[in-house]
Amino acid sequence: MQNELLDMDCKELRDKIASGQAKSITATQTVFDAIEKHEPALGAYISTFKEQALVRAGEIDNKIAAGESVGQLAGVPVAIKDNMCTTFGATTCASKILENFHSPYNAAVVEKLLTADAVIVGKTNMDEFAMGSSTENSGLKKTVNPWDTNRVPGGSSGGSAAAVAGRLCFAALGSDTGGSIRQPASFCGVVGLKPTYGRVSRFGLVASGSSLDQIGPVTQTVADSALMMNVIAGHDRSDSTSVDEAVAPVCDYLEKIDEPIEKLKIAIVPQFNAGADEQVQKSIADAIDVYKNLGADIIEINMPHLDYAIAAYYIIATAEASSNLARYDGVHYGHRTENPQDYIEVYSKSRAEAFGKEVKRRIMLGTYALSSGYYDAYYLKALKVRNLIRGDFTDAFKKCDCIIMPVSPTTAFKIGEKVDDPLTMYLSDIYTIAANLAGIPAISVPCGFDKDNLPIGLQILAPAFAEDKLLRIARMYEKETDQHEKKPPIVD
Ligand code: GLN
């Protein structure tokens, strides 16, 4: 029964627990057994809450036994990235500066998970303040890829992706500023969805790039992604950028997940896709053939400004991060240097001691881009480019339902391979960043393996607030493959 439980996806487990055929306490205990066995090798979690999770699982089982109604994630063990505030445990953002920070409130998504009767098993590792593509920038620990422990899990939500792929939870939340849900999902062979900007509340998500950040699910299947969206999507008065449901209503994303989109029209951007590795290109082409066989129309389009996405992103994201990270000053909260000579030293030494190299690099870049004299040349110019990229998408979606492209030009790279070469690392975000600049939803779905048996991800992008359609399109493909049933060697 125990291993059978780990073979289930979120939805199956939820149905079994809600109908009394399985117990949340058994599922939770099974997850903690798996954590005990594999976590030392994987390093997916920064913190875990065994006692608290088991008590909660027992309470949910009791509710079910008493015939009380339960939420959509009844008793399902899930994980969250450690940049979402919780009143239990620390919220570290994988940074030494917040290592001992305890939030006085829960993030909106955490409240929503709890209301849905999920069991939160732990908080996952990430690149410090979500800056990175490999989780190697974590200031606290190392996470490896469950498919090959010499390789990175992707980033910045690498812990969430490794935990789901390694079956150390049934689903997880990540955050995506420039690809941080989709790219690790792709590297670890799981499903990752970045919703439309404003669809999910950012209240209690520690800010990195405020106009780009969005929380979303990392799951084994597309249906699980829909289930998680049912729980976390919707308007929140505490987040002024969360979109009113009168403007963009949320729906039951799971209800019609198996209904294919009629007369589906897919666009591809051939000259842009040509930058990916051969094996990645081949898998994407095969996936497109699957859609063709399902009757989809494929059109080729040109999106002239996509080539500038990385340059614009690394100005905007660093500018916003430099401003957001000004609050870590050694005074209000977080790490404070010992024995400072004066208040200038409180600021400078606290920050120098506790921020990692990449965070410092981005604070400097962002401060420079925003400084008077350079603002117009860099930040303002980047905003204009962002507008042109948005325009490319608006034009594209007049002609198609969705756009398909790779998630990442390569599969998971070796640990240490790119960490000392930030520009190469930044270039690996080429396919994911545009969706954040445009604010549109995009999903990563497993679509093959390379010659080293490393997973490849297919990226599907849809118009703003079309998550429903996006999930159904992704499900059409998933139904035709057995990719999501394959497990990394570490699990067997
Ligand atoms: N890899 C990108 C970066 O380093 C994206 C990070 C993210 O989405 N949080 O900025």
Side-chain angles (χ1 to χ4, degrees):
M1 182 68 181
Q2 298 230 326
N3 284 335
E4 266 170 48
L5 279 174
L6 282 186
D7 281 340
M8 289 180 196
D9 60 30
C10 231
K11 189 171 153 292
E12 258 180 294
L13 180 68
R14 185 272 313 258
D15 290 345
K16 286 249 160 40
I17 294 175
S19 63
Q21 288 167 273
K23 293 261 180 254
S24 174
I25 197 144
T26 322
T28 308
Q29 185 58 56
T30 305
V31 161
F32 278 101
D33 291 346
I35 289 176
E36 205 164 292
K37 198 162 151 205
H38 297 305
E39 174 61 9
L42 283 181
Y45 285 100
I46 288 179
S47 51
T48 51
F49 313 111
K50 186 171 179 182
E51 267 170 47
Q52 171 187 315
L54 287 170
V55 169
R56 192 170 153 77
E59 285 166 6
I60 294 162
D61 285 335
N62 289 342
K63 262 205 237 177
I64 293 166
E68 286 173 40
S69 69
V70 276
Q72 292 201 56
L73 286 173
V76 176
V78 300
I80 51 178
K81 186 174 178 178
D82 206 17
N83 59 352
M84 298 171 205
C85 288
T86 49
T87 53
F88 46 92
T91 299
T92 68
C93 291
S95 180
K96 291 213 163 57
I97 215 154
L98 286 179
E99 201 169 0
N100 299 310
F101 170 64
H102 290 256
S103 166
Y105 58 86
N106 281 328
V109 289
V110 172
E111 285 297 335
K112 288 192 172 196
L113 287 177
L114 295 174
T115 308
D117 284 319
V119 174
I120 298 176
V121 295
K123 301 184 79 177
T124 55
N125 196 22
M126 55 186 280
D127 286 298
E128 186 176 5
F129 286 105
M131 297 177 190
S133 311
S134 66
T135 310
E136 290 166 290
N137 294 337
S138 169
L140 301 183
K141 70 186 294 183
K142 175 169 151 184
T143 304
V144 302
N145 191 312
W147 291 88
D148 177 347
T149 53
N150 293 314
R151 294 183 186 258
V152 302
S156 66
S157 311
S160 290
V164 174
R167 302 297 192 271
L168 304 185
C169 65
F170 286 84
L173 292 183
S175 68
D176 192 312
T177 308
S180 279
I181 292 176
R182 290 160 286 156
Q183 185 256 23
S186 154
F187 279 16
C188 291
V190 291
V191 176
L193 170 70
K194 180 201 93 71
T196 310
Y197 184 78
R199 180 78 301 173
V200 177
S201 171
R202 291 184 299 116
F203 178 75
L205 169 71
V206 179
S208 176
S210 308
S211 76
L212 304 155
D213 298 340
Q214 188 59 198
I215 294 173
V218 180
T219 53
Q220 289 174 45
T221 63
V222 174
D224 280 359
S225 190
L227 171 60
M228 293 292 280
M229 280 301 283
N230 277 356
V231 173
I232 62 172
H235 180 245
D236 175 15
R237 284 173 50 207
S238 310
D239 170 5
S240 61
T241 60
S242 124
V243 171
D244 203 326
E245 283 167 44
V247 178
V250 287
C251 62
D252 184 336
Y253 297 100
L254 195 53
E255 197 185 4
K256 292 196 196 139
I257 192 78
D258 280 317
E259 278 181 32
I261 303 289
E262 305 266 331
K263 299 208 176 82
L264 177 63
K265 215 165 190 190
I266 298 173
I268 48 174
V269 199
Q271 107 276 10
F272 191 50
N273 293 358
D277 276 5
E278 225 172 88
Q279 294 180 74
V280 172
Q281 286 195 49
K282 164 99 178 56
S283 286
I284 302 295
D286 290 348
I288 289 168
D289 282 342
V290 169
Y291 279 110
K292 267 191 204 154
N293 290 337
L294 290 170
D297 226 358
I298 315 292
I299 58 165
E300 293 189 358
I301 58 165
N302 187 16
M303 297 182 72
H305 303 101
L306 286 189
D307 289 342
Y308 306 104
I310 291 195
Y313 170 86
Y314 276 96
I315 297 288
I316 295 169
T318 55
E320 291 184 7
S322 73
S323 153
N324 278 323
L325 269 55
R327 73 191 66 167
Y328 307 106
D329 54 7
V331 178
H332 296 93
Y333 50 89
H335 171 78
R336 177 180 300 173
T337 190
E338 278 172 28
N339 308 318
Q341 298 303 306
D342 52 28
Y343 71 90
I344 297 286
E345 270 197 23
V346 176
Y347 298 161
S348 60
K349 285 200 166 167
S350 300
R351 288 165 72 83
E353 284 165 11
F355 279 142
K357 216 163 133 188
E358 180 64 19
V359 173
K360 286 177 185 158
R361 180 166 22 239
R362 294 197 189 199
I363 291 173
M364 287 192 283
L365 260 172
T367 308
Y368 181 77
L370 287 176
S371 58
S372 96
Y374 293 107
Y375 180 95
D376 288 358
Y378 294 109
Y379 186 66
L380 203 61
K381 180 79 90 22
L383 290 184
K384 288 179 181 165
V385 173
R386 180 179 195 171
N387 232 4
L388 293 172
I389 290 170
R390 270 202 188 123
D392 277 1
F393 279 107
T394 311
D395 292 345
F397 289 131
K398 284 183 191 144
K399 301 182 207 130
C400 64
D401 297 292
C402 70
I403 301 167
I404 282 186
M405 60 176 71
V407 178
S408 166
T410 66
T411 51
F413 42 89
K414 293 229 167 80
I415 291 167
E417 196 179 313
K418 296 191 182 178
V419 77
D420 294 321
D421 186 357
L423 276 186
T424 314
M425 190 76 100
Y426 296 173
L427 284 175
S428 71
D429 299 329
I430 181 137
Y431 294 114
T432 46
I433 270 168
N436 300 75
L437 290 172
I440 59 170
I443 194 167
S444 165
V445 186
C447 74
F449 290 93
D450 71 1
K451 62 174 183 355
D452 296 321
N453 200 34
L454 296 168
I456 296 171
L458 172 76
Q459 185 177 204
I460 313 170
L461 303 94
F465 300 106
E467 280 84 359
D468 174 43
K469 197 171 176 186
L470 178 63
L471 286 158
R472 283 165 65 193
I473 296 171
R475 177 67 186 137
M476 285 167 75
Y477 173 75
E478 190 186 61
K479 261 188 178 169
E480 301 297 313
T481 69
D482 59 357
Q483 178 87 20
H484 53 286
E485 283 157 20
K486 302 203 169 124
K487 284 193 209 128
I490 200 159
V491 175
D492 294 329

